[in-house]
């Protein structure tokens, strides 16, 4: 007797402030977009709760239902924002309200939230359906990397993230090493944290049909910040230009001020390089334009001092671009060693 097996179609809610294009300028936004679009293409009904920059609204991004919301902090409590993360707390309240609303209206069966900024904090106390937390890079890791002073507000942010994470039903991490860090810090059984690499659209990120690479272009893409090792790359630029004077360096990403150097990273790069005419800066750009930069560059450099699971590596490799990176957390777990050059982070 023959029978046909039909896979169950799920109704899923993904939560992330960083959903493109309005607010998605980082790895969490890229992850949420890739997962939402991928699940919807498989036939699942996907709803995304993300941050509204102006008015709250609901719309459709291809097959994905997007719900933009704002936090509703009581006016008088804004006075506490310097000592208590009121915006994060009340945004999590609004997230919880929206999840319950969507569950009632659409029959949502599963919710996934990032640990970052504790978006699922309030919902974790009143959840009616399974809750998954996806570990990207929690605040306590960033605070240690940046050696930030332990103010009351920062302590409370770490507490919010920890509690929201511990109360989830399921746990997921892009890398084994991140899972181990979380397990130790949050006292979660390591065996309960499933390691799941991040998704990427290889129909979009792929090599060009014709070879359009320019051997003179070195590419960096990502936020310009010390944690990403941009200052290290800046130190290397004059050494490279000394031996290869026609090389051009393309930096794609939002600039940031560094208290340690007393200037923005863009200014630091220009100062260290000595030859500003060989440096090109671009702000955030859409995916199609970014792909062309991957395809045109001779090599992509990721000098991160610490990285959980960098999308830049995946995107560059998917476009057939060689990668030079540091031997840091997460990255080494999924690189194709034949196409990657690794150097110790401390060097």
């Amino acid at each position: 007797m023959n029978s046909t097996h039909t896979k169950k179609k799920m109704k899923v809610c993904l939560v992330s402030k960083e959903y493109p294009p309005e607010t998605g300028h980082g790895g969490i936004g890229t992850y949420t977009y890739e997962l939402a679009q991928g699940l919807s293409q498989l036939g699942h009904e996907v709803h995304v709760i993300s941050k509204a920059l102006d008015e709250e609204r609901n719309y459709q991004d291809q097959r994905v239902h997007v719900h933009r919301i704002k936090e509703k902090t009581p006016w008088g409590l804004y006075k506490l924002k310097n000592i208590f993360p009121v915006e994060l707390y009340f945004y999590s309240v609004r997230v919880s309200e929206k999840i319950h609303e969507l569950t009632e209206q659409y029959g949502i069966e599963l919710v996934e939230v990032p640990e970052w900024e504790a978006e699922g904090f309030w919902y974790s106390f009143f959840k009616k359906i399974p809750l998954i937390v996806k570990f990207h890079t929690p605040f306590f890791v960033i605070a240690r990397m940046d050696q930030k002073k332990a103010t009351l507000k920062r302590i409370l942010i770490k507490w919010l993230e920890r509690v929201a994470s511990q109360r989830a039903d399921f746990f997921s991490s892009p890398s084994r090493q991140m899972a181990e860090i979380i397990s130790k810090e949050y006292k979660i059984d390591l065996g309960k944290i499933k390691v799941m690499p991040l998704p990427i659209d290889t129909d979009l990120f792929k090599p060009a049909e014709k070879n359009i690479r320019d051997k003179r272009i070195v590419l960096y893409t990502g936020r310009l910040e010390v944690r990403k090792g941009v200052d290290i790359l800046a130190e290397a630029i004059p050494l490279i230009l000394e031996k290869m004077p026609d090389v051009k360096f393309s930096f794609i990403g939002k600039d940031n001020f560094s208290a340690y150097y007393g200037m923005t990273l863009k200014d630091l790069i220009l100062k260290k390089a000595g030859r500003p005419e060989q440096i090109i800066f671009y702000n955030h750009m859409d995916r199609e334009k970014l792909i062309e930069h991957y395809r045109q560059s001779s090599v992509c450099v990721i000098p991160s001092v610490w990285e959980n699971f960098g999308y830049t590596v995946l995107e560059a490799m998917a476009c057939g671009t060689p990668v030079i990176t540091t031997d840091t957390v997460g990255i080494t777990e999924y690189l194709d060693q034949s196409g990657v050059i690794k150097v110790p982070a401390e060097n």
Side-chain angles (χ1 to χ4, degrees), residues 65-210:
H65 305 271
V66 182
H67 310 273
R68 296 278 179 183
I69 64 172
K70 299 183 74 173
E71 113 272 353
K72 298 179 179 179
T73 304
W75 179 251
L77 294 182
Y78 269 115
K79 297 177 181 179
L80 301 176
K81 65 180 182 179
N82 291 327
I83 60 173
F84 182 82
V86 289
E87 300 97 330
L88 302 190
Y89 178 81
F90 284 101
Y91 185 80
S92 80
V93 173
R94 185 69 188 100
V95 166
S96 181
E97 293 173 347
K98 195 65 178 180
I99 294 173
H100 287 302
E101 177 187 320
L102 297 179
T103 302
E104 191 72 26
Q105 184 175 355
Y106 297 100
I108 301 297
E109 302 168 271
L110 188 68
V111 178
E112 180 181 292
V113 299
E115 93 291 1
W116 178 251
E117 294 195 342
E119 292 186 55
F121 176 79
W122 192 255
Y123 182 73
S124 70
F125 288 90
F126 303 99
K127 61 182 186 292
K128 296 180 179 179
I129 55 178
L131 176 65
I132 302 172
V133 63
K134 183 76 172 185
F135 297 116
H136 295 275
T137 304
F139 183 76
F140 77 82
V141 173
I142 303 298
R144 289 175 184 174
M145 289 293 302
D146 296 342
Q147 297 182 333
K148 292 182 177 180
K149 184 180 178 181
T151 63
L152 176 59
K153 184 174 181 177
R154 288 168 180 163
I155 291 172
L156 289 172
I157 291 174
K158 290 187 281 187
W159 178 80
L160 287 172
E161 288 186 353
R162 186 183 79 245
V163 172
S165 299
Q166 290 172 330
R167 295 185 60 82
D169 300 293
F170 302 98
F171 313 96
S172 173
S173 170
S175 67
R176 170 76 181 184
Q177 293 186 64
M178 183 77 255
E180 291 173 350
I181 292 171
I182 290 292
S183 176
K184 182 179 179 180
E185 184 75 18
Y186 288 174
K187 311 302 180 188
I188 297 173
D189 183 353
L190 183 59
K192 293 183 178 180
I193 305 175
K194 186 168 181 61
V195 177
M196 298 180 66
L198 303 182
I200 184 171
D201 185 354
T202 52
D203 290 329
L204 183 62
F205 289 91
K206 59 184 178 181
E209 294 182 3
K210 297 180 181 179

Side-chain angles (χ1 to χ4, degrees), residues 224-226 231 234 255-272:
L224 304 185
E225 57 184 48
V226 173
D231 55 333
D255 194 12
N256 283 282
F257 181 82
S258 169
Y260 179 81
Y261 289 104
M263 65 181 74
T264 67
L265 270 299
K266 179 179 178 180
D267 288 339
L268 178 68
I269 292 167
L270 292 173
K271 178 181 178 181
K272 296 288 185 182

